[in-house]
Amino acid sequence: MPSNPSSGEVRHITVDEESAGQRLDNFLIRALKGVPKSHIYRIIRSGEVRRNKGRVSADDRVDAGDVLRIPPIRLSERIEEKIAHPAPAREFPVLFEDEAFLAIDKPAGVAVHGGSGVSFGVIEQMRQARPQARFLELVHRLDRETSGLLLIAKKKSALKALQDQFRERETGKTYLALVKGAWPARLKVLDQPLHKYLLPDGERRVKVTGKDDPDGMRSVTLVKVAQRLAAPPSLLTGSPEGFSLLEVTIKTGRTHQIRVHLASAGHPIAGDDKYGDFELNRQLSRAGLKRMFLHAWRLQLTHPVTKSALQLQTELPDELRRWSLPGLE
């Protein structure tokens, strides 16, 4: 497969066994490294991409042996420069690894993949760091400002098996979140639909909506109070009731689900720059909290090959640990 997708000629790509079953758009994003997603979707919609000489849609699944016609692609100098100088290679702390998949501890401030103004993310950096790896794909996503457990598949079969578990809600994903105020101990289940929308500048946002909203997606979040913390003197005006450290388990994986559910309940996450208490965030920043306090802490799953039960866990990073009390198990 050509390493440089910029070409003035029509090309034909044959789908290999490892890629069988992938959506066409995802296959082309991987095969045409560096080509903007918007351009890939444009050539699919226009009918310039053909599969076995017939039209094909972005969400169609490719089969081994399919021959894809790729039209001439001319890239801007900026994109050519990006291809010539790809993401810097970087490894991340590995919490678990075998031949099927690995779990890493993602730091806050790092996107999981490139796009939306981000040149590259975890997956692009890891592919550069492991050029011998034939297959590395994200199993799921974390927000850029969220730290913690992130799974990456090393085989297509493992990717499908793990994503099926996430889709069927067979995994247990628990996060640690520090929120404003005293969370009511009786409030243990948040079952509120969420609705995605765009701001005028195109940025994505999510809000709680009514049960009758046809575009609302059912979203279920379980909450347990792990610790209650008194506010230090510098934060008494911003959060006189102190803070609550919550163990938050999501039964559905909606965009910004935890952030929106907690904020809608009147207890926004400390440091959340989209749904948080902005004045309190300024006070927290002056007190030393420079990021959102949301950490993907524990993950229970079934191993995609051995079928054994696994529980993975990663502790709070240093910049968050000092905001919680000792003894959290």
Side-chain angles (χ1 to χ4, degrees):
M1 193 175 296
S3 58
N4 187 340
S6 184
S7 170
E9 301 176 351
V10 170
R11 288 171 300 145
H12 294 86
I13 297 175
T14 301
V15 177
D16 58 9
E17 291 283 350
E18 192 67 34
S19 301
Q22 271 194 316
R23 283 173 51 122
L24 174 71
D25 51 1
N26 291 335
F27 175 83
L28 291 180
I29 288 166
R30 184 79 191 274
L32 305 177
K33 288 185 173 66
V35 177
K37 291 181 184 178
S38 59
H39 187 78
I40 288 175
Y41 284 109
R42 190 179 306 123
I43 61 176
I44 295 172
R45 284 195 303 268
S46 68
E48 294 176 89
V49 174
R50 296 268 169 165
R51 176 176 62 178
N52 305 328
K53 300 184 179 180
R55 288 187 72 111
V56 64
S57 300
D59 58 356
D60 284 349
R61 305 278 174 175
V62 296
D63 293 320
D66 280 350
V67 177
L68 302 176
R69 174 196 182 273
I70 309 299
I73 296 174
R74 294 178 178 84
L75 302 177
S76 68
E77 289 184 11
R78 183 177 64 82
I79 297 297
E80 291 279 15
E81 177 70 14
K82 180 178 174 182
I83 293 171
H85 299 89
R90 180 179 178 183
E91 286 279 6
F92 297 87
V94 175
L95 303 166
F96 173 89
E97 182 170 6
D98 65 8
E99 292 183 354
F101 77 101
L102 71 155
I104 66 166
D105 191 358
K106 185 189 87 68
V110 180
V112 295
H113 60 74
S116 301
V118 179
S119 297
F120 56 83
V122 167
I123 194 64
E124 290 87 1
Q125 290 183 293
M126 289 201 65
R127 286 171 183 158
Q128 288 297 319
R130 300 181 175 210
Q132 76 287 357
R134 293 187 64 247
F135 188 92
L136 287 176
E137 293 287 351
L138 291 166
V139 174
H140 60 115
R141 300 179 182 186
L142 290 178
D143 288 348
R144 185 176 181 177
E145 294 308 319
T146 302
S147 56
L149 275 160
L150 180 68
L151 302 188
I152 297 172
K154 296 168 69 175
K155 291 183 175 181
K156 185 187 163 224
S157 56
L159 176 67
K160 182 179 185 305
L162 289 168
Q163 288 185 332
D164 285 347
Q165 286 186 52
F166 278 86
R167 190 178 304 111
E168 299 300 322
R169 306 175 192 173
E170 295 170 355
T171 58
K173 290 192 289 183
T174 301
Y175 294 69
L176 294 176
L178 186 72
V179 300
K180 175 183 178 180
W183 184 273
R186 60 177 172 72
L187 188 54
K188 297 178 179 179
V189 180
L190 303 175
D191 184 353
Q192 299 165 303
L194 295 178
H195 177 100
K196 285 195 285 191
Y197 64 100
L198 295 178
L199 296 176
D201 63 1
E203 190 172 353
R204 182 177 54 181
R205 283 289 192 277
V206 179
K207 64 181 178 181
V208 168
T209 188
K211 305 277 188 190
D212 56 349
D213 184 345
D215 295 319
M217 301 287 287
R218 191 185 180 202
S219 307
V220 180
T221 303
L222 309 181
V223 181
K224 175 186 174 184
V225 178
Q227 296 174 354
R228 299 193 185 278
L229 298 92
S234 62
L235 298 174
L236 274 173
T237 57
S239 190
E241 293 185 340
F243 298 88
S244 302
L245 184 66
L246 307 178
E247 296 178 17
V248 184
T249 301
I250 53 174
K251 293 299 186 181
T252 51
R254 310 300 182 203
T255 301
H256 299 168
Q257 176 175 327
I258 295 174
R259 300 165 69 174
V260 175
H261 268 173
L262 300 186
S264 179
H267 299 274
I269 296 176
D272 187 341
D273 65 356
K274 285 185 170 64
Y275 307 100
D277 181 323
F278 303 134
E279 177 53 39
L280 175 59
N281 286 349
R282 282 189 283 270
Q283 296 177 21
L284 285 163
S285 180
R286 288 194 293 269
L289 183 65
K290 306 292 186 182
R291 54 159 290 198
M292 178 173 65
F293 197 126
L294 184 60
H295 178 70
W297 179 42
R298 282 180 176 165
L299 180 60
Q300 294 173 311
L301 67 152
T302 301
H303 191 283
V305 177
T306 67
K307 308 304 179 185
S308 59
L310 286 178
Q311 177 170 288
L312 306 174
Q313 180 171 317
T314 175
E315 300 310 322
L316 287 170
D318 290 342
E319 73 269 16
L320 299 185
R321 192 176 297 122
R322 74 182 191 88
W323 291 88
S324 67
L325 298 174
L328 183 68
E329 297 296 336

